[in-house]
Amino acid sequence: MFDIQENLKKLPDSPGVYIHKDKLGQVIYVGKAISLKNRVRQYFQSSRNMDPKVRAMVSQIEEFEYITTGSEMEALILECNLIKKHMPKYNVLLRDDKTYPYIKVTTEEDFPRIVKTRLVKKDGSKYFGPYSDAGAVNQIVDLLNQVYALKKCSARVFPKGFRPCLNYHIDQCDGICQGTVSPGEYRKKVDHAVDFLRGRTKGILTYLEEQMNQASEALDFERAAEYRDYIMAAKALSEKQRVVLQDTKDVDLILVARGAKQRHVVLFFVRDGKLSGRETYDLQSMEEDSSEDIISAFIKQHYGQSLTLPKEIILEKQPEEKELLEEYLSGIAGHQVHLLAPKKGEKRAVLELAKKDVVEMVKTIDQRAEVRKERAESLGREIYNILSQMGYEEGDYSGRDYRVEAYDISNTNGVDTVGAMVVFEGLKPDKKSYRRFKVRSVEGPNDYGSMQEVLFRRFRRALEGDEGFSVFPDLILIDGGKGHVNAALEMIRGLELDLAVAGMAKDDHHRTRSLVFFKDGSMEEILLKDYPLLYKYMGTVQEEVHRFAIEYHRGLRNKRMLTSVLDEIEGIGPAKRNALLDHFGSVDRIKNATREELREVKGVTEKLAEKIQEYFHC
C-alpha cells in the first residue's frame, strides 16, 4: 500500500512535475512546481482553507509520483505533455483539440495544393487554424481552388503522356500536368491565396476585379458574372473588419466566455492590424478555476501544438506565470512572443470590442451547449438502461459519458483478414483510441476465431500495462449476432474479465435492429425501436466500425496486389519496385510505358525495361 506521509518526506526541494492518481491508478491531476517538496505537501495539510475543487481532488488521491527537472521551464514543457497524454479530470482541459480542422497549403511541393486537414505535421507546409466551423473551412478551400484554378490531385510527377483529370476539362484546373503553367506563375496564385488565409483580402479582391473587368471587356459576360459572385463570396467569408491597429500587424486576443452553465475560451485574430476572425473552444474546468488559470492552461495547450504564433497575445489580465509563458512561447515560435494586458490606447479598444462580442456570443453558446448536454444525457440514460438489463449497472444514472468499444472483422474469402476497434466517449468518436489488428493466427474465413484473436490481443496488452490500451470499456459491441457474442464472451472470460458484451444484430437492410446478449446463461434481445436515440447511435457506431475495418482491409489488399505483380518480374526487388511506383504512380502506367520511359527510372537498365514490357505484353 502506498504510504502518502512516508513518501512526502522523500520529496526533493527541486523543480519538477507531480502526478496525482486515484485508487484505480488513473491520473487525476498533473501539476508543476519550483519546489516539489513544498508544493505537493500543501495538498495534504489542513483542508480548511482549500477551495472545493482541490478538496474534492485530494479526497481521491491514493498515490502520487513526481519527475524532477533541471528548471521551471523544463517542468512547464513536461507538464504540458503529460496533461495532453493523460487528460486528467481535475486539470483545465482544452477539449477535442485534435478534432478542429486546419487549412493546409503544401508549400513543399512544386505546385502547392490547398486542402482541409485535421493532422498537423512539421512537413514544410503552411497551416492555418484551427477552425471550429468545418463548413466554413470547406467553403474557403473551395473558393480558393475555384478562383485560382489550383491543382487538386496529389500527383507530383507528370511523365510524358500523363492524362489530365476531369477538373482540367471543366476549367477547374489550369492543367499543371500538361505543362501549361510555370511554377513561378502558379506560385503567384498560391501567394494570393495565402494572403487571403492570413486575413488580407485586398489581394484576392483586386485579382478578381481585374479578371471580371477583362471578361467584361471581352464581352464574356457569363464569365464576368462568375467573378462577380466570387467577389461577393470572398467578402462574405472574410470577417467584417471593424477596427484597425496602426502599429501592429498580427495579434491574437484571448478571453474567457462565462456562460450560465459552462465556460469557453474565445480566440480573436487580428491580421494586418484588422480584427478578422474568432474561434471558440470548449473547456473542461471547475467553477473555482479563475479566468487567469483557464487562460494560462489554454495558452500552454493551444500554442503548444501550433506551428505559427503571433508576436503579441492580448489578455484582459496577466497570468501569474507571465514571464515563464513568454519564454515557453518564444521557444516554440522562434521569435519573441509577448503577453499584453493593455490599460489604454487602441489595443485596449480592441479588447473592449472583443469583450462586447463575447457577451453576445455567450447567449448562443449556452443554447448550443445545453442541446449537446441534453442529448448526451439522454444517450447516457439509454446506455445505462441497457447495462442495467444486462446486470452491469445498479442505482441511479450518474450522468457520466460511457465508453463504448465496437469491433468488426473484414476479409475477402479469408485472405488479408483484419480486425477493427473504434471507441466512442458519449456521443463522439474518440479517434485517437481507434486500433487496427492484422489477424495472424487464423486461416481462412473464420470470423469467430478472428474476433477472439483481436479481443485477446487488445485486452492482453491492457493487462500487461500498455498505456495505449489501459482504459477499459463500459460496453463492448460486436458487429454480429449470437455466435459472435458467444465467441467474444469465451475470450473475455478466459482472460478473467467481467465486461458487458452485446451483439449488434441487423435487419434485412443491414441496419442494427437490436442488441443481443447473454444473461444467466440464456440469450436475450433488446429491440432498439424502443430507444430512438440509441437506435440512431448504434447505427452510427456500426457504420463507423465497418468503415474503419473495410478501409484497413482494402489498404492491405491493394498493397499486396500492387506489389505482387511487380515482384513477379525477375530483377525487380523492393527498391526498384518502389522507384517505379513513385515515378509512374500506378501499375497501369508502368504497363503502358515505353521502353524509353522505363529507362528514365533510376536503376532500370535496358535489359530490365525489356523484361518489364515482355511481362505485361507477352
Side-chain angles (χ1 to χ4, degrees):
M1 183 177 177
F2 187 87
D3 190 329
I4 288 180
Q5 294 302 323
E6 189 64 30
N7 279 276
L8 286 174
K9 299 175 184 178
K10 302 176 183 178
L11 286 165
D13 186 16
S14 61
V17 171
Y18 55 93
I19 305 163
H20 291 321
K21 297 183 177 181
D22 63 12
K23 62 182 180 181
L24 296 178
Q26 302 283 344
V27 175
I28 60 175
Y29 187 78
V30 174
K32 64 173 177 58
I34 298 176
S35 169
L36 287 167
K37 180 179 181 180
N38 295 337
R39 183 71 187 95
V40 178
R41 281 182 173 182
Q42 291 176 359
Y43 288 102
F44 301 98
Q45 295 173 358
S46 172
S47 62
R48 184 176 305 168
N49 297 322
M50 289 182 180
D51 63 49
K53 172 190 173 181
V54 176
R55 192 181 302 119
M57 179 187 71
V58 171
S59 68
Q60 297 184 40
I61 299 174
E62 293 292 326
E63 60 176 299
F64 63 80
E65 297 178 5
Y66 61 86
I67 303 172
T68 59
T69 59
S71 66
E72 190 181 4
M73 173 54 65
E74 289 181 11
L76 186 149
I77 294 172
L78 179 58
E79 177 196 34
C80 291
N81 291 335
L82 290 176
I83 288 174
K84 187 172 182 180
K85 178 179 180 180
H86 296 291
M87 303 293 283
K89 64 186 288 188
Y90 286 103
N91 283 95
V92 175
L93 298 177
L94 173 61
R95 286 183 174 171
D96 300 325
D97 56 320
K98 290 189 177 180
T99 66
Y100 291 105
Y102 291 76
I103 293 177
K104 175 181 179 180
V105 184
T106 59
T107 48
E108 82 283 3
E109 299 178 3
D110 291 336
F111 296 96
R113 295 169 293 129
I114 296 179
V115 297
K116 183 176 81 170
T117 183
R118 295 179 186 271
L119 185 63
V120 177
K121 299 179 181 178
K122 292 186 177 181
D123 56 2
S125 298
K126 292 183 183 294
Y127 291 87
F128 299 89
Y131 301 93
S132 61
D133 188 345
V137 172
N138 292 331
Q139 286 182 304
I140 293 169
V141 171
D142 289 344
L143 173 71
L144 294 176
N145 279 321
Q146 290 172 12
V147 167
Y148 294 114
L150 300 179
K151 180 171 76 75
K152 299 179 182 67
C153 65
S154 59
R156 298 193 184 193
V157 180
F158 307 103
K160 185 178 179 181
F162 192 97
R163 294 181 181 179
C165 64
L166 178 63
N167 288 315
Y168 172 74
H169 294 295
I170 62 174
D171 295 328
Q172 288 297 314
C173 176
D174 282 342
I176 310 303
C177 58
Q178 304 302 298
T180 58
V181 181
S182 69
E185 293 173 340
Y186 188 87
R187 281 277 174 174
K188 289 180 181 179
K189 293 184 176 184
V190 174
D191 290 342
H192 281 303
V194 168
D195 283 342
F196 179 80
L197 293 172
R198 286 175 171 161
R200 302 162 188 161
T201 60
K202 185 177 180 181
I204 190 172
L205 293 175
T206 300
Y207 171 82
L208 291 171
E209 287 171 358
E210 289 175 352
Q211 296 297 314
M212 181 179 69
N213 292 334
Q214 289 177 13
S216 181
E217 290 173 2
L219 304 181
D220 188 352
F221 299 115
E222 184 176 348
R223 190 65 173 166
E226 289 182 8
Y227 283 112
R228 178 203 62 202
D229 293 341
Y230 286 148
I231 291 171
M232 294 172 63
K235 289 180 178 179
L237 285 173
S238 62
E239 288 285 336
K240 186 178 180 182
Q241 300 173 348
R242 299 161 292 183
V243 69
V244 177
L245 297 179
Q246 299 295 336
D247 301 323
T248 307
K249 286 196 172 182
D250 294 350
V251 174
D252 282 0
L253 190 153
I254 306 173
L255 290 171
V256 173
R258 291 179 175 270
K261 297 183 179 180
Q262 189 174 354
R263 286 181 287 183
H264 317 265
V265 165
V266 185
L267 175 61
F268 292 85
F269 308 102
V270 177
R271 298 295 179 261
D272 268 354
K274 299 176 181 180
L275 188 61
S276 61
R278 70 184 183 195
E279 296 294 332
T280 305
Y281 299 86
D282 295 342
L283 294 174
Q284 171 189 307
S285 65
M286 298 293 179
E287 186 62 33
E288 296 79 14
D289 291 321
S290 67
S291 294
E292 290 73 36
D293 290 337
I294 291 172
I295 291 293
S296 181
F298 175 80
I299 287 173
K300 296 173 193 175
Q301 296 178 56
H302 177 74
Y303 292 109
Q305 62 179 353
S306 179
L307 299 180
T308 56
L309 283 84
K311 293 184 177 180
E312 295 181 349
I313 299 174
I314 297 176
L315 312 172
E316 189 171 14
K317 187 177 180 180
Q318 292 283 20
E320 291 183 2
E321 48 188 4
K322 172 183 181 295
E323 292 78 12
L324 186 63
L325 286 173
E326 287 181 333
E327 184 182 351
Y328 172 64
L329 296 175
S330 299
I332 295 172
H335 58 73
Q336 286 296 313
V337 177
H338 299 286
L339 302 180
L340 307 176
K343 301 299 181 183
K344 58 182 180 179
E346 59 182 10
K347 290 177 183 176
R348 182 66 191 186
V350 174
L351 181 63
E352 292 297 328
L353 179 63
K355 286 169 66 176
K356 291 179 181 178
D357 267 358
V358 166
V359 170
E360 294 301 317
M361 286 177 62
V362 166
K363 300 174 185 177
T364 58
I365 288 175
D366 276 345
Q367 291 172 359
R368 291 197 300 268
E370 189 64 29
V371 170
R372 287 196 301 268
K373 182 180 178 182
E374 290 176 359
R375 192 174 297 139
E377 287 183 355
S378 296
L379 175 65
R381 288 185 184 279
E382 293 190 0
I383 294 178
Y384 168 82
N385 289 334
I386 296 296
L387 290 170
S388 296
Q389 294 182 54
M390 296 175 69
Y392 286 90
E393 283 283 16
E394 294 180 355
D396 297 327
Y397 170 56
S398 63
R400 71 184 182 91
D401 287 338
Y402 287 100
R403 178 185 172 95
V404 174
E405 291 182 4
Y407 294 83
D408 191 17
I409 301 297
S410 181
N411 61 65
T412 302
N413 296 323
V415 179
D416 293 326
T417 302
V418 300
M421 161 187 155
V422 303
V423 181
F424 279 70
E425 292 279 357
L427 287 167
K428 295 182 178 181
D430 180 14
K431 295 195 175 183
K432 66 180 181 295
S433 298
Y434 284 17
R435 298 291 183 269
R436 304 184 303 187
F437 303 85
K438 187 175 181 180
V439 175
R440 303 167 183 161
S441 64
V442 178
E443 294 184 1
N446 184 347
D447 279 4
Y448 296 166
S450 300
M451 182 64 71
Q452 288 182 325
E453 179 188 326
V454 168
L455 292 172
F456 173 75
R457 288 164 58 187
R458 182 265 184 265
F459 289 107
R460 180 194 62 186
R461 293 180 68 173
L463 294 171
E464 290 175 348
D466 188 328
E467 291 189 356
F469 293 85
S470 62
V471 182
F472 284 82
D474 297 294
L475 175 63
I476 296 172
L477 296 175
I478 307 297
D479 192 17
K482 178 180 178 180
H484 290 83
V485 173
N486 192 45
L489 280 174
E490 283 183 4
M491 182 53 65
I492 296 295
R493 290 167 180 168
L495 292 169
E496 299 183 351
L497 296 173
D498 185 22
L499 299 171
V501 180
M504 296 182 286
K506 306 177 189 67
D507 59 20
D508 294 337
H509 301 286
H510 207 71
R511 295 175 301 192
T512 302
R513 179 193 77 250
S514 63
L515 295 180
V516 294
F517 58 91
F518 282 97
K519 184 176 182 181
D520 300 327
S522 61
M523 173 64 71
E524 296 191 14
E525 182 176 24
I526 298 175
L527 294 175
L528 294 178
K529 67 179 183 179
D530 299 326
Y531 301 90
L533 182 59
L534 192 62
Y535 175 76
K536 184 176 181 180
Y537 171 79
M538 288 298 171
T540 301
V541 173
Q542 182 199 46
E543 289 177 4
E544 179 67 357
V545 70
H546 189 63
R547 176 198 65 79
F548 194 53
I550 286 291
E551 283 184 0
Y552 184 37
H553 168 65
R554 284 175 178 167
L556 288 179
R557 183 188 63 191
N558 292 341
K559 181 179 179 181
R560 177 176 54 81
M561 292 175 67
L562 282 174
T563 56
S564 64
V565 170
L566 296 176
D567 287 342
E568 290 178 6
I569 302 174
E570 183 183 354
I572 293 184
K576 288 189 177 68
R577 179 192 68 211
N578 294 336
L580 284 163
L581 288 171
D582 287 341
H583 183 83
F584 290 101
S586 71
V587 172
D588 283 339
R589 289 179 183 149
I590 297 173
K591 178 179 178 180
N592 296 321
T594 65
R595 192 171 301 179
E596 290 73 21
E597 289 170 341
L598 291 169
R599 286 290 311 279
E600 293 176 5
V601 179
K602 183 179 179 181
V604 176
T605 62
E606 178 70 28
K607 185 176 181 180
L608 181 56
E610 183 179 348
K611 285 183 178 180
I612 294 172
Q613 287 204 317
E614 287 178 355
Y615 177 84
F616 284 115
H617 300 291
C618 293

